Amino acid sequence: MGPTKRDRQSAANRTAADTDGGWPDWVDPAAIKRLQEAIESERIGHAYLLSGPKGVGKAATARAFAQAICCTDVDRSDRSVPCGSCRACRNVQRGAHPDVETFSLDTQAMLAEKPGRASTLTIDTIRRLRSSGALFPLESDRRLLIVDDAETLLEPAQQALLKTLEEPPRGVTLILLADEPETLLETVRSRCQEVPLRPISEAAVAETLVRRGVPESLATEVAVLSRGCAGWALAAAADKKLLEARRNERASAARWIASPRYEQLVTAFTLGEQFSKRRSEVIGVVQAAIQLLRDEMIAVAQVAGQSRENEPRTSHVTPSAVPFSRAIVAALQCLSDLDANVRPRLALEAMVVAWPNSELRDR
Ligand SMILES: [Zn+2]
């Protein structure tokens, strides 16, 4: 017997918020293991930096870490695993535990006098964090201060944060969450234990969605678009707008790659000019292009491999796949140039010049 309507309904509700709590089963297990080991060995550090792309699960992981530390269930067999149901666990999950505080662009906007969401965490927010760090824990042994959106901290705010990192208050653990840890000062980074959260496989993302009741065909599509970020996938399976935006990025990238060289350059020029206003969108299109080029490279290599199956093996390289691998290298270089503030137009143009030329390819 398959799942009843009610099962499916409750699965859909869970997907919408993914509020189960506890360690997320869709996050890079190596990262979770490191944090669990810190709890098991009772050597919880003063500062962690959880890094990884948006939607990879940094906030959910930080929350689970806080739950495991604050959980009051004394009977649990494994101290590194929160029970998920005691009052402390539930309060951490709801963002209502007195010893776990989150500082993010959203919380900053809620406390701001003027309405609207700033694009950076301000020095005032770091001052609030410093005073919060001076408080004694109320219910737990430790206070946990989570700084989400840490990549948006400008240098003066990072300098202010550095003071806390240099003289960490007793019993306080700072957890910075950053999409792009390269934007943090080396002095800040070096004082944190960095725990990278790596994207998981497409298959693992799809399984995560199916386990939560998402129909298989949708799960497969979302997984392909997820770039290995299951947190994004869970949100996108429940939010058409997110999914649509990513579909559009992929379609734009496909058109860009398939267009004649001249048009490829025009697109590079246009995206370069718009970069300062549409940064994440432009980066998204380049990431989608990398994924498409990779798919094409694999397809070409497989076809070539099949047709040569009976011939003696002369080389490990499939000649027809070389242009794609060159194009991927150029696109990865472009992403790192965009990150390093090379002029966006130049970075994008240099990339498309290394792409396969569709006029030649179709002949
Ligand atoms: Zn608990």
Side-chain angles (χ1 to χ4, degrees):
M1 210 174 81
T4 65
K5 193 175 169 193
R6 195 165 175 184
D7 290 339
R8 281 199 298 271
Q9 188 60 47
S10 70
N13 288 342
R14 274 205 305 279
T15 306
D18 199 47
T19 52
D20 307 358
W23 293 105
D25 60 1
W26 42 270
V27 164
D28 177 8
I32 290 180
K33 191 161 168 250
R34 272 192 60 188
L35 296 171
Q36 287 180 326
E37 278 168 0
I39 297 172
E40 277 160 15
S41 61
E42 295 185 19
R43 290 166 75 164
I44 298 165
H46 290 296
Y48 291 90
L49 168 59
L50 307 192
S51 61
K54 213 175 267 310
V56 82
K58 299 184 292 294
T61 302
R63 207 160 46 227
F65 187 45
Q67 273 184 324
I69 291 169
C70 297
C71 180
T72 53
D73 178 2
V74 286
D75 294 332
R76 65 198 159 128
S77 52
D78 186 347
R79 276 188 50 82
S80 71
V81 178
C83 77
S85 54
C86 71
R87 202 171 69 90
C89 279
R90 281 183 286 125
N91 281 342
V92 172
Q93 185 63 19
R94 295 193 293 129
H97 195 289
D99 298 327
V100 182
E101 197 168 349
T102 297
F103 302 81
S104 66
L105 293 177
D106 285 337
T107 63
Q108 180 176 275
M110 274 193 290
L111 292 169
E113 283 170 19
K114 282 183 280 179
R117 194 171 185 267
S119 58
T120 60
L121 287 175
T122 64
I123 203 158
D124 279 342
T125 295
I126 298 306
R127 287 200 188 108
R128 276 202 302 112
L129 173 136
R130 286 169 61 80
S131 9
S132 175
L135 300 174
F136 286 106
L138 282 175
E139 293 180 7
S140 170
D141 298 338
R142 190 166 272 279
R143 280 181 65 70
L144 294 122
L145 307 181
I146 301 171
V147 184
D148 203 347
D149 310 307
E151 73 282 352
T152 70
L153 288 161
L154 298 180
E155 194 170 331
Q158 289 194 43
Q159 295 290 3
L161 181 65
L162 193 56
K163 288 188 201 154
T164 307
L165 289 168
E166 279 167 346
E167 293 159 33
R170 271 175 68 95
V172 170
T173 292
L174 224 62
I175 309 171
L176 309 186
L177 315 181
D179 301 346
E180 297 168 39
E182 306 79 30
T183 59
L184 295 172
L185 296 174
E186 196 42 49
T187 43
V188 168
R189 246 177 125 169
S190 64
R191 281 181 173 79
C192 302
Q193 296 184 41
E194 189 162 346
V195 182
L197 273 64
R198 299 188 204 291
I200 60 174
S201 71
E202 265 176 32
V205 173
E207 270 170 38
T208 300
L209 296 176
V210 169
R211 264 204 308 277
R212 285 166 173 76
V214 176
E216 212 160 320
S217 59
L218 178 63
T220 308
E221 191 205 350
V222 174
V224 167
L225 294 171
S226 71
R227 297 176 196 142
C229 294
W232 177 87
L234 287 164
D239 181 347
K240 284 214 170 69
K241 264 196 214 148
L242 273 178
L243 188 57
E244 204 49 41
R246 195 60 71 91
R247 275 181 185 144
N248 289 339
E249 275 175 11
R250 193 173 164 91
S252 305
R255 277 197 304 275
W256 193 11
I257 294 171
S259 61
R261 175 71 84 226
Y262 174 72
E263 279 173 36
Q264 284 179 342
L265 283 164
V266 171
T267 306
F269 178 90
T270 315
L271 291 177
E273 294 296 297
Q274 296 169 341
F275 186 72
S276 60
K277 285 191 188 121
R278 297 169 56 202
R279 183 188 162 91
S280 64
E281 226 174 303
V282 174
I283 289 177
V285 175
V286 176
Q287 285 172 328
I290 293 173
Q291 202 181 3
L292 289 164
L293 289 164
R294 220 170 247 162
D295 292 349
E296 256 192 278
M297 180 176 77
I298 292 168
V300 164
Q302 278 171 347
V303 169
Q306 278 160 9
S307 66
R308 286 182 316 170
E309 224 155 52
N310 300 323
E311 294 170 22
R313 237 197 147 143
T314 50
S315 162
H316 291 286
V317 185
T318 311
S320 50
V322 169
F324 293 105
S325 98
R326 232 178 248 147
I328 293 165
V329 170
L332 291 169
Q333 181 62 46
C334 173
L335 281 183
S336 94
D337 287 347
L338 291 174
D339 229 24
N341 292 324
V342 171
R343 282 181 60 197
R345 193 162 62 76
L346 296 183
L348 291 157
E349 284 172 357
M351 170 183 73
V352 299
V353 170
W355 278 0
N357 192 334
S358 65
E359 287 138 80
L360 297 176
R361 194 161 31 149
D362 294 342
R363 260 169 226 167

